[in-house]
Amino acid sequence: MSALTQAQPVPAALSQSRAAGTGEPDLWCTYAAMRTLAWLGRTAEAEDAEATARYLRSRRNSDGGYAWSAGMPSDAWATFYCTQALADLGRPLPEPDGTAQWLRGTWTADGTGAAYAMAPGQAPDVWATHFSTRSTVRICGDGVPDRARLLAWLGALQRPDGGLSWSPDSRTSDVRACHYGAAAWFALNGVAPVDPPWDVAALTRWLCEQQTPEGGFRFSPEADVPCMWATYRATAALNILGASPSRPVEPWIRELRGASGAFVRWQGYEVEDVWASFCAVGALQAVGAPTADVADAVVARISALRCAGGGYTYREPEHAADALSTAAAVLADGTEPPGARESSGSPEPSVRADRITWLESCQLPNEGGLMYMPARGSEIRCTLWGLTAGAFAGEAAQPARRRIAEWVRGIQNPDGGFGFWEGRGSELLSTAAAVGVVRHLGAAVPELLDAAALRAFVSRCLGPDECTAALPGTEPTLRQGLQAQRIRHALGEGSPHAVTSLLDRHRVRGGGWANTGARLPDLLSTYEAVATADLYGLPLDAEHLRRFTDRVHSDGGTAWSPLAPGSGGPLADALGSLLRRRVDGALRALPDLALS
Amino acid sequence: MSNRTIPAYDETLSRVREVLGELLGDGPKSAGEDQPLTEALGDRYDSLAALECVSRVENAFGIEVDFVAHDVRYSFATLRRIAEFVRGELEDRAVLENRA
């Protein structure tokens, strides 16, 4: 039994729990499924490939980039996964010049060179730089704007211990950063040969030091246990650098095959998910081990994870719960107050308690936050939604809460802000969510976080009048302004005048608030408007709010805006339910939630 | 009474086709009056496109749409409903001007 098994046993009943999911494909899982089939030379066996290609193309925005889900802004993460998966399917990119142009718009200098940011206006990080360098060079056939400056930026990632970090100012070495840095260099080297910009001996030595006696790899010396994710990234990085692990890794990987022959993430975990097979096949290939003997089982398993209408999720679609949907289901159910859970010995635990237990199972070793889907990295928004839904509410959960606090403290970026997860560039949404997490934990922001750096980040985003906020070079919006003001409040410097001014500027005459201008109100903006006003103790115009909630609510659920069709799904239903309870007086204040 | 003339239904419909065609190509010109635009235009008529259509109709006819008070999803679902909505707004405006 591996250390990971011992550290994180998962109750078998949870895999069939009443946690909630969308039943829809997930972009990362779709990419992982296609990449795994491509590694195995079996992409031609993907069922209904045209539907999957249609799903991927539907993420393309008019600016040329791709988004995590329809309607969201483009980012490098989604652009890489969509374009690479389309390429693996042998499908042409729609208007690749537009995608290349969008990628060029994320090119950013930071004083140590220049690299790519996840979205325009953000600081560059190694996640985005890896995604966009590969997308630009290999998919779009374009060149990076300044190869020499990019190599300098990549070189500045190396820490004194030999490992690579997320950005030149970050202080944590991580095998994921090592792989992303190495893969970005490898893409450049494929265009024109160039030496790696690091002390390669020190880098490979640091990577080899992350292998544990069991044979798997850990993220860094701070990580508790080895995992398949770290093992793939480490072995792939070593392979790119022309090196190998010090000890055999193949037996450790092969031990983690489940009943079907596909891979599990650790022994005792019954779900053979797309994540485990992606990492296992990638790692086997990286160390030169054969994969033919596992290919049939992996291909069959991936086929079972296909969603109707195209795309894939991480396990059987009917069981593919996620943290946001599950938290939303709890929040939409206003029949029990948070904390009113039955004891664990109850013979018939309620659906609500079951869902909260599932949310708590999304906290895995190595990263203290909650994941979106099992085995992904911990994410700020999911952690905020999970805590708000009641996860880790009891006294017995103090150790778990301390882990979350340490995780939040550890992922604050050098510029003072936060990104979606560890190492990603800062933006206001995630920074406000991080502050919301700290507030939930009952901690004071200045005690847990670097308050001076946080203040500096918000100041860079706020306009001179304190009433507008945006990342540098982007248009200010209501939600960014409200997020900045919620952070200001946590720093003890909130301005009710600035909040009132923002709300007045975006108040829609007929009801609700608009993110831009004062024309089309939307659910997210209206929710954040009321939640921020509640935080500041500003009075609520209930009739103004009711006009909006009446328009977007129907028996089928809550729509994202008066223009959007029907229900917006579980997240919209949760926000709509909370807003209606607020306007009816059942809630005195809205919980601090942010989504996009 | 106001001197402002309310265009006939056919004239309004024709102008709506023209205005939407500037944004969405030939689709609005060939769509049936009662055919759902989501059916006639497919994915092209998503909520963002609908928002842009509302703006163009507002500018073309000099009316203002209230996204909350008006049931925009219903009113902008077919060409006939858009044309009837526009005529209704123009008639309301004429009445108000007459009162003033």
Side-chain angles (χ1 to χ4, degrees):
Chain A
M1 184 178 283
S2 73
L4 188 55
T5 311
Q6 296 162 20
Q8 188 67 20
V10 175
L14 282 184
S15 65
Q16 298 296 324
S17 76
R18 289 170 285 188
T22 63
E24 296 174 354
D26 173 78
L27 182 53
W28 188 89
C29 295
T30 303
Y31 159 80
M34 291 302 99
R35 198 87 271 264
T36 307
L37 294 180
W39 277 330
L40 296 171
R42 306 281 288 268
T43 314
E45 296 173 45
E47 294 175 50
D48 208 358
E50 184 49 40
T52 294
R54 201 162 46 242
Y55 162 75
L56 294 164
R57 286 193 293 261
S58 74
R59 266 51 194 161
R60 189 179 191 280
N61 284 326
S62 58
D63 61 14
Y66 291 74
W68 159 274
S69 60
M72 286 183 70
S74 302
D75 64 47
W77 184 96
T79 299
F80 172 73
Y81 288 142
C82 287
T83 55
Q84 179 65 58
L86 283 167
D88 283 338
L89 280 168
R91 300 299 199 278
L93 284 191
E95 302 176 45
D97 289 348
T99 301
Q101 187 174 345
W102 182 84
L103 288 165
R104 285 194 288 275
T106 64
W107 179 259
T108 310
D110 77 344
T112 54
Y116 290 101
M118 197 61 78
Q122 291 185 19
D125 64 56
V126 77
W127 295 86
T129 296
H130 155 261
F131 293 140
S132 296
T133 302
R134 289 180 63 178
S135 301
T136 296
V137 171
R138 292 189 177 175
I139 309 293
C140 297
D142 197 16
V144 300
D146 190 329
R147 176 184 169 93
R149 295 189 74 196
L150 176 53
L151 285 164
W153 188 90
L154 289 170
L157 298 177
Q158 191 159 33
R159 310 299 310 149
D161 62 12
L164 306 188
S165 195
W166 310 110
S167 67
D169 293 332
S170 299
R171 292 189 290 272
T172 308
S173 297
D174 191 290
V175 298
R176 292 167 293 186
C178 294
H179 177 243
Y180 296 138
W185 164 76
F186 190 65
L188 295 173
N189 187 59
V191 176
V194 61
D195 288 336
W198 307 292
D199 177 343
V200 173
L203 175 53
T204 56
R205 186 169 57 246
W206 185 87
L207 279 165
C208 287
E209 287 170 359
Q210 307 319 311
Q211 190 174 20
T212 66
E214 296 95 332
F217 284 76
R218 57 190 179 181
F219 289 136
S220 68
E222 289 73 36
D224 299 322
V225 291
C227 66
M228 195 70 96
W229 186 3
T231 299
Y232 164 56
R233 296 298 174 187
T235 53
L238 286 168
N239 185 40
I240 287 171
L241 296 167
S244 301
S246 304
R247 291 186 290 277
V249 65
E250 185 181 349
W252 184 85
I253 296 170
R254 290 190 182 279
E255 272 185 17
L256 297 181
R257 296 183 74 184
S260 75
F263 291 88
V264 297
R265 286 172 280 137
W266 56 78
Q267 288 175 349
Y269 188 85
E270 65 187 54
V271 181
E272 296 148 64
D273 62 20
V274 69
W275 170 255
S277 288
F278 167 82
C279 290
V281 171
L284 287 172
Q285 291 213 335
V287 299
T291 54
D293 58 322
V294 302
D296 286 348
V298 168
V299 171
R301 181 62 187 151
I302 286 176
S303 178
L305 312 183
R306 187 171 60 89
C307 298
Y312 294 77
T313 186
Y314 70 98
R315 56 168 304 178
E316 299 91 333
E318 64 272 26
H319 297 307
D322 68 76
L324 288 178
S325 296
T326 302
V330 175
L331 291 168
D333 167 20
T335 57
E336 295 175 65
R341 299 170 54 190
E342 290 87 341
S343 70
S344 57
S346 171
E348 293 184 12
S350 72
V351 171
R352 181 189 186 91
D354 198 12
R355 284 173 171 155
I356 292 175
T357 302
W358 187 87
L359 284 168
E360 292 173 347
S361 79
C362 289
Q363 186 186 44
L364 287 183
N366 299 328
E367 294 190 300
L370 301 188
M371 307 160 303
Y372 173 58
M373 287 173 166
R376 298 241 283 239
S378 296
E379 295 185 24
I380 285 281
R381 289 180 317 160
C382 298
T383 305
L384 177 62
W385 280 67
L387 288 171
T388 304
F392 305 121
E395 191 62 32
Q398 279 299 332
R401 295 165 70 85
R402 274 196 294 276
R403 282 191 62 208
I404 293 174
E406 287 305 314
W407 170 72
V408 170
R409 185 209 299 271
I411 66 169
Q412 186 175 13
N413 285 325
D415 65 8
F418 288 78
F420 263 36
W421 58 76
E422 182 175 3
R424 278 193 51 171
S426 303
E427 27 80 24
L428 278 164
L429 169 72
S430 297
T431 306
V435 167
V437 167
V438 173
R439 194 179 282 125
H440 250 287
L441 295 173
V445 163
E447 290 172 8
L448 190 63
L449 306 180
D450 181 340
L454 180 61
R455 187 177 294 112
F457 174 74
V458 178
S459 295
R460 281 196 297 278
C461 298
L462 273 170
D465 63 356
E466 292 280 308
C467 299
T468 57
L471 286 164
T474 62
E475 289 294 316
T477 65
L478 170 65
R479 294 206 293 274
Q480 287 185 328
L482 295 171
Q483 288 153 11
Q485 292 303 333
R486 293 205 296 280
I487 300 166
R488 281 280 209 226
H489 187 277
L491 288 166
E493 340 175 304
S495 165
H497 167 74
V499 175
T500 303
S501 175
L502 258 174
L503 295 176
D504 288 347
R505 192 178 307 169
H506 294 279
R507 180 186 169 99
V508 176
R509 191 183 56 190
W513 282 266
N515 197 35
T516 56
R519 294 280 286 115
L520 177 64
D522 68 86
L523 181 65
L524 272 176
S525 299
T526 301
Y527 185 91
E528 288 201 38
V530 178
T532 310
D534 286 346
L535 183 67
Y536 276 83
L538 299 174
L540 174 71
D541 181 347
E543 283 312 305
H544 178 78
L545 178 57
R546 193 186 302 278
R547 280 194 290 275
F548 174 79
T549 55
D550 285 351
R551 172 59 73 205
V552 293
H553 178 66
S554 69
D555 291 342
T558 305
W560 288 114
S561 82
L563 269 180
S567 167
L571 302 185
D573 290 344
L575 298 177
S577 169
L578 290 166
L579 273 171
R580 286 197 307 283
R581 276 186 267 160
R582 178 71 182 92
V583 78
D584 291 340
L587 280 177
R588 280 184 299 170
L590 285 181
D592 174 8
L593 289 171
L595 192 61
S596 73
Chain B
M1 291 292 289
S2 167
N3 293 326
R4 194 182 294 271
T5 305
I6 310 300
Y9 170 78
D10 287 347
E11 185 185 341
T12 308
L13 179 64
S14 176
R15 179 72 179 129
V16 166
R17 287 187 192 277
E18 186 179 297
V19 169
L20 267 53
E22 291 168 4
L23 176 69
L24 299 165
D26 290 338
K29 292 175 185 166
S30 56
E33 290 174 56
D34 296 312
Q35 186 181 15
L37 287 169
T38 50
E39 180 185 302
L41 304 172
D43 292 342
R44 299 189 66 194
Y45 197 66
D46 58 14
S47 59
L48 291 177
L51 178 60
E52 183 65 15
C53 286
V54 170
S55 294
R56 298 217 176 199
V57 167
E58 284 180 322
N59 291 335
F61 292 97
I63 60 174
E64 188 171 338
V65 176
D66 185 322
F67 284 97
V68 178
H70 295 132
D71 193 347
V72 182
R73 282 194 53 234
Y74 177 85
S75 304
F76 278 72
T78 67
L79 293 169
R80 179 191 298 278
R81 289 181 193 168
I82 296 173
E84 289 176 344
F85 173 81
V86 167
R87 281 173 49 77
E89 288 301 297
L90 292 176
E91 286 172 0
D92 288 350
R93 189 177 64 186
V95 170
L96 289 172
E97 286 176 351
N98 189 42
R99 283 180 183 167

